[in-house]
Amino acid sequence: WIFDTALTGIIPTEIGSLERLKQILIFDTKLNGTIPNEIISCKELSALLLSSTKLEGNITKIIGGLKKLWWLSLSDTTISGIIPSEIGTLILLEHLDLSRTNIEG
């Protein structure tokens, strides 16, 4: 967990090299930018919590490639756009929190 810190900057694209990473839990930081597409290489990712950050952009279709994802929370961010239909392919997804965002659909 990384929470309630002054952590700033972006999620580096090199995160994709962490192929066995199981959880990303970052909450209440000043992290900004977008979720890099390279995250798709983290095939073991089961939890992606990036709530209460300054993240922006859209949830891209690549989210459907994270087949082990059971927890996705992007609440309290400026993420926007439409929920991609690929989220429906995440059969293990139990927790989805997109509250306090600019997401539609």
Side-chain angles (χ1 to χ4, degrees), residues 2 8 34 37 53 71 92 94:
I2 298 174
T8 61
T34 60
N37 285 337
T53 64
W71 183 15
L92 299 177
E94 293 183 19

Side-chain angles (χ1 to χ4, degrees), residues 9 34 51 69:
T34 60
S51 298
L69 203 62

Side-chain angles (χ1 to χ4, degrees), residues 71-101:
W71 183 15
L72 175 61
S73 179
L74 302 172
S75 65
D76 198 20
T77 65
T78 56
I79 299 281
S80 60
I82 297 173
I83 299 172
S85 61
E86 288 76 8
I87 281 188
T89 67
L90 300 175
I91 60 173
L92 299 177
L93 191 64
E94 293 183 19
H95 303 280
L96 176 62
D97 186 356
L98 302 175
S99 62
R100 296 180 310 280
T101 65

Side-chain angles (χ1 to χ4, degrees), residues 2 8 13-14 17 21 29 38 42 48-49 60 67 69 71 78 84 91 95:
I2 298 174
T8 61
T13 57
E14 291 81 9
S17 66
L21 186 64
T29 68
E38 288 79 3
C42 302
L48 179 58
L49 184 146
T60 64
K67 299 297 183 192
L69 203 62
W71 183 15
T78 56
I91 60 173
H95 303 280

Side-chain angles (χ1 to χ4, degrees), residues 11-19 21 24 36 38-42:
I11 300 172
T13 57
E14 291 81 9
I15 198 158
S17 66
L18 303 173
E19 297 173 2
L21 186 64
I24 299 174
E38 288 79 3
I39 204 164
I40 190 64
S41 297
C42 302

